[in-house]
Amino acid sequence: MAVIVEVLNKQQKVTERHKFLQPQVNLGRAFDNDVILFNKHVCPYHAVLQQDEEGHWWLEDLSSVNGSFLSGRKAVVARELLRSGEICWLGEQALRLYDDAHPVAATMPFSVIEQRLQAMGHWAFILLFALILATDQVAEIWLTLSKQMEHMWPARLLDIPRSLLLFCILPAILALWSRFNQQESHFMPQLSLTYAAAACGTLWGAFCFWLGFNLDGSGMAQGVEVVGYTLILTALFSGNFCLATHWSPRFRTAVALALALLATSGQWANLLTPPSPFDRSLRYDARILPLPFYLGQGKDIQQYEQDLQQLFEQVEQKRQYKDKQ
Amino acid sequence: MLRKTWTSLVWLVLCCWSAQSYSAAVAEKVFADYADALLQVKVLEYASGAKSAIGSGFLLADSDLVVTNYHVVSEAVLFPQKYQLEFLAQNQQKGTLEIVAVDVVNDLALLKTDYKAAKSFQLQQQPPVQGAAVYSLGNPHDLGLIVVPGTYNGLQKHSFYPRIHFTGAINSGMSGGPAVNEAGEVIGVNVASAGNDLGFLVPAAALKTLVEKAVVSDLKQDIQQQLLDNQQRMFQQILQADWQLKSFGPATVPDEIVPFIRCWGTSNVEKDKDDVKRVNAFCNQPEEIFLSSEFSTGRIEMQFEWIQAKDLHPLQFFRRYQFSISQMNADNRAGQDDVTAFSCNNQLLNPAEGQHAKAIFCIRAYRNYPQLFDVAYISASMDHQQQGVVSHFTLSGVDQQIALAFSRKFIGAVVWQ
């Protein structure tokens, strides 16, 4: 029965894989070993793997300087039995042993989501999303830059490539992470995904501005806005992890949601904490657009006064509620 | 001719000298006669035993009560468990004081004492004539009792509350001291200073009313009633007045609707570079009612802004317009224990047929004075693509009925022509 010896790095990722048909395998730094190790704390002739008549493999330490260990840092005094899949250490060098009958994980089918995400890495998509982002920023400059500040146009426009570059940081980190994990870097799909999420965010922001204006700044509109941002970020992170890791869908969604909530925690806090009486500045929604953007009718004075009476009642209840506390 | 001029000059110098020495002599006499009846009022914290506020006070004849300002003793009124009152007489005699009645609107407090003075103060029955000599007594900055001679200049104009305009230096710590005429009769109580020999006194009439008022059991409830009555009186005048409207760009807005509301205005018209023209008008009733060191009420403020764009896209204009309505603040000071947080109503409103405005109406309730609220309102007209009028008011310490009546009248007054 053949034996497979895996050489592992510090993160216990496989760096080499050897298969032997003979019953004895020599391990050490010397060049006449079967598995030649690099680690300077390993002896030239450190240990031997031996198969007994029943087919079990034993690790024998050859009186090495730094010793050999099994899982749980159990020292190998003379020789110890190794089970298939078990990790052992020669000094600090980790090895894993498998016999050839050891089961392997099921074949992972192509994931539709992953394929779609990879397809997003096409430059045309990246350009489209980048254009949406740039248009939004140009619109913002156009809306806010006053006449006196017209000379600031070029400087403000230069901010656009800078912000587009800033969006590259996340995909770059994810690509590096993937490389470390010996997977495809997927930089372009990650970049495309990030731009897409940012573009969605700006479009959602514009829609919520309009919605908030139409719903007269109601708390519901603000809630919808924050939920939307959280969902966009969850989708982004979930996609990122799908491309960069082999996590299960449930796990990566959970991590993505947690990260998204963390990223939007300021907005959530703003939405959920009651205003403080210490605030001299009042908290209200001042969003306003030209009248044609308003779909409703508006209220006449009589209806308005009824609303205000309700407001007085609510505030009076709040006062009494606090008194009771 | 020359001789005549010399003679008149000598006469003039003599007259001036004698007038001055006369005034000084009267001041000395007043001070000597009444020094006994002048007290320093101290607010002491039980826990530390240290004084947290000082002011002046005086002993009133007949009733044997000590008069001072409410703002001097407010801590002892609001937190009787935490603070006590003490007096220090000219002869270094000390003793405790007990609050009998307060008038927060006129900033007066009456205190009970067992202290007796040889001669205590009487109230003047008739108001003095313009230019009459008045002597203000008190203990400025804890430096010892002094007398400040000055002149009576009638009641303050443009003020809702009757206040005597006194030309003389009233300094911090003299609050609550009496201002007397040559005979030593009290014409008012020192209350405030606007610097540069400009002082204000609460007229003796207000003090007389307070002395004659029936004794109340619950001071806080009494204060609430005073605030309610006061806003009722003030807004009755405002709501019954025929509001003077002035044209303000394309609209009309209220002007100085009652004598105690004054208006000012500014604009950036001359600055051609700006892409929006802004014209501002501002009206207020600036006098506050002191309730505690961090809580005041009673102010009224109205503000209008006409914004006109030059060659801006409507979306660009409305972004600038939004900024104008995004920073509304409360007009009066209040602490966390004094008020609830503001709650707002946000609504697109039709103030008149075919007109539209975005209106934001915010209120907060007074925790210790039920039925009273602070109100802040701002609205932006929306019927034009390139120009708009922002109208804003804040009221402090009003009840629901008055807040709504004022809002109705205000919204009705701001109209496009």
Side-chain angles (χ1 to χ4, degrees):
Chain A
M1 198 161 50
V3 65
I4 292 97
V5 178
E6 286 181 346
V7 180
L8 308 179
N9 65 10
K10 286 256 168 78
Q11 286 77 40
Q12 302 194 357
K13 301 276 184 235
V14 181
T15 57
E16 295 166 38
R17 201 172 250 174
H18 305 274
K19 183 171 182 180
F20 300 103
L21 297 170
Q22 71 263 36
Q24 177 168 332
V25 179
N26 299 320
L27 311 167
R29 260 188 315 119
F31 295 129
D32 55 353
N33 282 299
D34 298 310
V35 177
I36 305 160
L37 297 166
F38 286 95
N39 192 290
K40 61 189 175 190
H41 302 297
V42 174
C43 291
Y45 303 98
H46 197 110
V48 180
L49 286 168
Q50 276 176 327
Q51 193 176 29
D52 61 15
E53 294 80 39
E54 288 159 18
H56 298 305
W57 285 89
W58 295 79
L59 177 68
E60 184 184 342
D61 186 74
L62 301 174
S63 309
S64 63
V65 175
N66 294 311
S68 304
F69 309 91
L70 298 184
S71 47
R73 303 307 284 171
K74 182 182 166 196
V76 179
V77 182
R79 56 180 223 157
E80 290 285 343
L81 182 70
L82 270 180
R83 269 175 286 277
S84 178
E86 201 174 347
I87 295 178
C88 61
W89 282 269
L90 309 188
E92 58 179 17
Q93 173 68 62
L95 300 173
R96 185 160 44 205
L97 190 91
Y98 285 116
D99 61 44
D100 55 3
H102 197 96
V104 293
T107 313
M108 196 178 276
F110 282 138
S111 142
V112 182
I113 298 174
E114 201 179 330
Q115 280 179 318
R116 290 268 159 81
L117 287 175
Q118 286 184 22
M120 267 175 76
H122 196 274
W123 61 267
F125 283 115
I126 298 182
L127 191 69
L128 172 70
F129 299 137
L131 266 177
I132 295 175
L133 281 176
T135 312
D136 172 68
Q137 291 189 34
V138 172
E140 189 60 29
I141 301 172
W142 175 74
L143 279 175
T144 52
L145 205 64
S146 66
K147 220 175 222 171
Q148 301 129 284
M149 305 293 270
E150 255 175 346
H151 60 279
M152 292 292 287
W153 262 102
R156 296 288 303 273
L157 284 178
L158 278 177
D159 278 348
I160 297 174
R162 199 186 56 149
S163 71
L164 288 180
L165 272 177
L166 277 179
F167 280 121
C168 295
I169 293 175
L170 176 69
I173 291 172
L174 289 163
L176 280 174
W177 188 33
S178 299
R179 289 302 296 163
F180 275 128
N181 288 321
Q182 288 150 1
Q183 287 167 24
E184 282 276 345
S185 62
H186 291 311
F187 176 72
M188 293 299 265
Q190 296 278 30
L191 180 68
S192 180
L193 190 63
T194 312
Y195 276 5
C200 276
T202 58
L203 294 177
W204 180 249
F207 171 74
C208 286
F209 192 101
W210 174 83
L211 188 72
F213 171 62
N214 266 276
L215 294 179
D216 298 311
S218 79
M220 196 183 74
Q222 290 166 30
V224 165
E225 183 168 1
V226 181
V227 168
Y229 283 127
T230 313
L231 288 180
I232 289 170
L233 280 178
T234 310
L236 166 69
F237 294 141
S238 185
N240 287 149
F241 293 141
C242 179
L243 286 168
T245 67
H246 286 153
W247 296 345
S248 73
R250 188 178 285 179
F251 180 67
R252 68 172 180 244
T253 313
V255 175
L257 184 63
L259 278 178
L261 285 173
L262 201 67
T264 52
S265 55
Q267 283 169 293
W268 280 107
N270 201 25
L271 186 71
L272 298 176
T273 50
S276 151
F278 279 133
D279 268 353
R280 253 176 72 86
S281 54
L282 307 183
R283 255 213 250 169
Y284 57 93
D285 190 346
R287 290 188 277 203
I288 188 167
L289 284 168
L291 193 58
F293 286 88
Y294 195 83
L295 300 184
Q297 286 295 315
K299 287 191 173 164
D300 63 25
I301 288 288
Q302 281 82 22
Q303 290 168 311
Y304 187 56
E305 270 188 27
Q306 284 169 10
D307 284 6
L308 295 186
Q309 266 160 12
Q310 277 178 7
L311 181 69
F312 273 99
E313 281 158 27
Q314 283 165 13
V315 171
E316 176 59 21
Q317 275 168 11
K318 259 190 213 171
R319 186 185 77 82
Q320 288 175 2
Y321 176 70
K322 279 280 169 62
D323 273 0
K324 273 177 205 157
Q325 281 190 329
Chain B
M1 179 68 195
L2 196 69
R3 187 190 159 88
K4 210 171 173 185
T5 315
W6 270 112
T7 319
S8 48
L9 207 67
V10 167
W11 267 114
L12 199 70
V13 169
L14 273 175
C15 283
C16 285
W17 180 79
S18 65
Q20 236 178 13
S21 65
Y22 171 71
S23 164
V26 172
E28 203 180 321
K29 183 177 183 302
V30 166
F31 191 72
D33 280 357
Y34 290 99
D36 245 10
L38 283 170
L39 300 173
Q40 186 184 39
V41 178
K42 292 182 185 176
V43 182
L44 299 177
E45 198 191 8
Y46 276 119
S48 65
K51 55 181 180 271
S52 75
I54 52 164
S56 305
F58 60 96
L59 201 62
L60 209 55
D62 306 333
S63 58
D64 284 335
L65 289 168
V66 174
V67 179
T68 187
N69 283 141
Y70 167 76
H71 77 253
V72 172
V73 297
S74 67
E75 283 165 318
V77 175
L78 300 172
F79 309 104
Q81 316 85 342
K82 208 176 158 196
Y83 297 96
Q84 63 169 337
L85 292 172
E86 205 184 84
F87 71 83
L88 177 65
Q90 198 63 343
N91 58 8
Q92 300 305 311
Q93 189 184 335
K94 281 182 183 176
T96 56
L97 295 165
E98 213 176 297
I99 296 155
V100 176
V102 296
D103 177 354
V104 291
V105 174
N106 289 306
D107 201 359
L108 292 174
L110 292 180
L111 315 167
K112 201 164 78 182
T113 179
D114 47 9
Y115 176 75
K116 292 273 187 285
K119 196 171 180 188
S120 46
F121 288 96
Q122 298 278 349
L123 295 183
Q124 193 190 25
Q125 300 304 321
Q126 296 291 320
V129 291
Q130 183 105 9
V134 174
Y135 304 90
S136 167
L137 301 160
N139 187 351
H141 302 288
D142 205 9
L143 295 171
L145 286 170
I146 62 154
V147 54
V148 177
T151 357
Y152 173 88
N153 269 304
L155 289 179
Q156 193 189 346
K157 276 182 191 161
H158 308 299
S159 170
F160 176 73
Y161 307 105
R163 291 286 181 271
I164 294 168
H165 176 180
F166 168 76
T167 310
I170 293 182
N171 287 302
S172 143
M174 287 176 75
S175 291
V180 298
N181 63 11
E182 291 171 1
E185 293 169 330
V186 175
I187 65 154
V189 180
N190 304 334
V191 69
S193 160
N196 284 342
D197 274 6
L198 193 55
F200 298 104
L201 315 172
V202 177
L207 182 54
K208 193 165 174 246
T209 315
L210 184 62
V211 172
E212 286 165 1
K213 196 171 107 172
V215 179
V216 292
S217 54
D218 186 342
L219 279 177
K220 277 187 194 169
Q221 207 179 342
D222 189 44
I223 292 175
Q224 187 213 359
Q225 198 52 50
Q226 289 170 17
L227 292 174
L228 280 171
D229 292 346
N230 180 61
Q231 54 107 33
Q232 193 79 41
R233 272 197 304 276
M234 182 184 277
F235 280 87
Q236 203 164 17
Q237 269 195 48
I238 293 174
L239 294 171
Q240 281 174 1
D242 184 17
W243 283 17
Q244 287 293 309
L245 302 183
K246 67 177 169 200
S247 76
F248 185 72
T252 60
V253 298
D255 197 17
E256 297 185 340
I257 48 181
V258 280
F260 53 86
I261 289 186
R262 316 292 316 280
C263 297
W264 294 268
T266 59
S267 79
N268 69 344
V269 174
E270 67 284 356
K271 294 176 194 156
D272 261 353
K273 272 183 171 175
D274 294 349
D275 48 13
V276 285
K277 184 171 89 176
R278 290 169 191 276
V279 180
N280 290 285
F282 173 79
C283 303
N284 72 351
Q285 189 293 108
E287 281 168 305
E288 292 182 331
I289 296 174
F290 178 99
L291 288 173
S292 77
S293 56
E294 53 181 24
F295 190 24
S296 62
T297 184
R299 284 167 70 106
I300 300 172
E301 182 206 54
M302 297 192 287
Q303 217 171 330
F304 308 96
E305 189 174 35
W306 169 36
I307 305 170
Q308 191 178 27
K310 298 172 201 159
D311 314 322
L312 283 183
H313 187 274
L315 285 173
Q316 288 177 306
F317 169 70
F318 270 78
R319 182 55 80 89
R320 286 156 179 70
Y321 200 30
Q322 177 178 318
F323 183 74
S324 292
I325 58 167
S326 65
Q327 288 162 326
M328 177 165 62
N329 284 330
D331 194 32
N332 57 330
R333 283 172 301 124
Q336 188 161 27
D337 298 329
D338 300 319
V339 289
T340 64
F342 270 105
S343 296
C344 297
N345 171 291
N346 194 330
Q347 184 62 53
L348 196 102
L349 184 65
N350 304 326
E353 187 64 37
Q355 296 195 2
H356 300 81
K358 183 184 176 74
I360 293 147
F361 188 97
C362 301
I363 54 170
R364 64 180 177 194
Y366 287 15
R367 282 203 193 292
N368 303 316
Y369 307 110
Q371 299 175 49
L372 288 167
F373 298 87
D374 286 339
V375 180
Y377 169 89
I378 196 162
S379 87
S381 68
M382 290 178 56
D383 294 303
H384 299 262
Q385 309 275 305
Q386 290 275 340
Q387 61 174 330
V389 170
V390 173
S391 50
H392 160 68
F393 68 79
T394 59
L395 312 174
S396 50
V398 292
D399 67 18
Q400 175 179 348
Q401 191 207 340
I402 280 174
L404 290 177
F406 182 87
S407 307
R408 192 183 312 132
K409 194 154 180 174
F410 181 90
I411 294 168
V414 181
V415 283
W416 283 73
Q417 285 169 333

